[in-house]
Amino acid sequence: MDEKTTAGAVDHVWEMMDAIRTCMLVTKQGLTLRARPMHAFPSREENCVWFLSDRRGHKDEELRHDPQSALVFSDKTGRDFLSLSGESEVIEDRARIDQLWNDAAAVWWPQGRNDPNIQVLRFLPEQAEYWDGPSSSILVGLRLAAARLAGRPPEFGENRKVPLD
């Protein structure tokens, strides 16, 4: 990736979403923020992130009152992070449910893809910010030690804000 270009940064954001997939969806209930884990289906071609969602949760009502929402991704190593802000909407789309359905979804909806509680949530990203950390825990330790000796904050990789709309 060419970190110096916006196009390269946008590519990197979509690559991170594709690689990580599990995120926290953040919504607002009045002045209170609420987050819950979700499995993301990023679609760069449509400039959105799809989710299978259960209508029995509170997020639908929260999004009807205020569609502003956020997604927060963290890779399993805990060194790469991605945050997206945008708007979410609940959509009744049986064809999209069929397209997104997988074996993992059957755990949440044992009646299958025709379960009446399944719906689709579409997140439209507006802004992203990512933090790329070093892949080696040894390198992390060395950078922490060097920063402490130099009396400055450690440098762990790139941080960049990226417009997506």
Side-chain angles (χ1 to χ4, degrees), residues 99-124:
Q99 180 185 0
L100 301 177
W101 186 261
N102 58 44
D103 290 340
V107 173
W108 300 104
W109 296 283
Q111 293 178 28
R113 68 182 76 211
N114 294 318
D115 187 312
N117 292 306
I118 303 172
Q119 59 192 3
V120 177
L121 189 139
R122 179 172 62 182
F123 176 83
L124 303 167

Side-chain angles (χ1 to χ4, degrees), residues 3-133:
E3 297 291 357
K4 294 181 176 31
T5 69
T6 299
V10 169
D11 289 343
H12 190 58
V13 166
W14 287 100
E15 289 164 6
M16 288 179 79
M17 281 190 277
D18 276 332
I20 300 171
R21 292 293 178 118
T22 300
C23 66
M24 296 296 285
L25 167 67
V26 181
T27 58
K28 289 189 265 183
Q29 183 177 12
L31 298 176
T32 303
L33 297 175
R34 298 188 66 238
R36 78 272 296 148
M38 302 284 285
H39 182 78
F41 296 92
S43 175
R44 184 169 185 177
E45 300 77 34
E46 298 171 286
N47 195 41
C48 70
V49 181
W50 295 101
F51 298 92
L52 290 175
S53 178
D54 196 300
R55 73 177 71 250
R56 295 169 289 197
H58 297 286
K59 65 189 157 311
D60 300 356
E61 185 177 329
E62 294 165 2
L63 291 170
R64 273 192 290 278
H65 285 101
D66 189 345
Q68 279 300 123
S69 47
L71 303 179
V72 180
F73 293 81
S74 174
D75 74 349
K76 290 183 172 126
T77 66
R79 294 188 185 95
D80 293 332
F81 303 92
L82 173 64
S83 173
L84 295 107
S85 56
E87 292 191 354
S88 294
E89 61 184 336
V90 176
I91 299 174
E92 295 295 329
D93 185 343
R94 300 314 294 180
R96 182 68 63 171
I97 291 169
D98 288 341
Q99 180 185 0
L100 301 177
W101 186 261
N102 58 44
D103 290 340
V107 173
W108 300 104
W109 296 283
Q111 293 178 28
R113 68 182 76 211
N114 294 318
D115 187 312
N117 292 306
I118 303 172
Q119 59 192 3
V120 177
L121 189 139
R122 179 172 62 182
F123 176 83
L124 303 167
E126 298 166 358
Q127 176 84 21
E129 185 169 4
Y130 63 82
W131 297 262
D132 276 341

